[in-house]
Amino acid sequence: MQVDMHETTGNNELHGPAADEQADGDEFAVLCPPCRRSGRCRMGMRRETAGDDGQSIDYELICGPENEGGPGVAHGGWISGVFVEIVGHLPLHMDQLVVTGALSVTYLKPVPIGRPLTARAWLAERADGKWTVRATIRLALTGTELANATATLVEREMSHYERTQRWLTSEEEKSHGVA
């Protein structure tokens, strides 16, 4: 099943209100709140396709020039950001909210800007509320692996964000408004 990251129309409670469901009702185009507001994925994801095994997702993406690090290549922060997004989408497709506990990225080759890329995330292990998800980014033209990552994700409920706001408020009160 394919989800076009630019065509959106419903609601995904796991990723915040108004994330968009496909018109055929098969799956959600999971966009974070800033991307939902702009109507496109700012990380350059164009399409995501859930694997038939139910434990993997494939992506088509392009690194835009706004994410250039060195001449003609992606900034390492963009690569890490893409990995955070794609490993986090997998549990959402399995109806589970998670947060990133750890992310380890290995940069193998320069990631070009403006060229078609593919990415894949898959479940390696799930136990005791923790997920290990692995991922790769490849050059679409040849399939050459450019970077890979392993993430530890921790299961959460939406109340996690309410607790976070209460904690932050208490931290701000301790500072008496001094930054």
Side-chain angles (χ1 to χ4, degrees):
M1 181 248 330
Q2 280 188 343
V3 175
D4 187 323
M5 300 301 283
H6 299 285
E7 295 177 16
T8 54
T9 61
N11 181 18
N12 177 357
E13 294 176 7
L14 288 175
H15 212 53
D20 301 320
E21 185 176 3
Q22 290 296 299
D24 62 12
D26 285 347
E27 204 44 77
F28 293 103
V30 182
L31 294 173
C32 65
C35 292
R36 241 188 341 269
R37 287 190 291 273
S38 71
R40 68 175 189 83
C41 177
R42 62 196 162 120
M43 300 305 288
M45 288 189 277
R46 307 286 184 190
R47 187 175 306 279
E48 65 182 344
T49 305
D52 292 337
D53 61 4
Q55 297 189 359
S56 64
I57 301 178
D58 293 301
Y59 296 89
E60 296 172 16
L61 64 154
I62 293 178
C63 178
E66 67 277 10
N67 294 301
E68 186 174 30
V73 298
H75 189 283
W78 177 83
I79 296 165
S80 294
V82 166
F83 280 132
V84 167
E85 284 297 308
I86 69 175
V87 300
H89 279 211
L90 180 62
L92 287 174
H93 278 270
M94 299 168 77
D95 295 322
Q96 179 61 58
L97 176 67
V98 297
V99 295
T100 306
L103 178 71
S104 175
V105 177
T106 302
Y107 303 93
L108 301 170
K109 300 271 187 194
V111 175
I113 61 167
R115 303 263 171 91
L117 305 168
T118 62
R120 180 175 179 82
W122 66 94
L123 180 62
E125 184 178 351
R126 182 180 182 184
D128 302 320
K130 291 190 177 178
W131 299 50
T132 301
V133 178
R134 294 203 168 98
T136 60
I137 295 175
R138 297 178 181 274
L139 188 60
L141 183 64
T142 63
T144 299
E145 186 174 349
L146 307 174
N148 60 60
T150 300
T152 300
L153 308 172
V154 182
E155 293 179 0
R156 291 288 185 252
E157 300 296 326
M158 286 304 291
S159 60
H160 165 76
Y161 295 104
E162 295 165 6
R163 287 190 309 277
T164 298
Q165 287 304 313
R166 286 194 303 271
W167 167 80
L168 184 55
T169 298
S170 73
E171 289 294 302
E172 290 169 341
E173 288 170 354
K174 286 183 208 177
S175 73
H176 305 289
V178 178

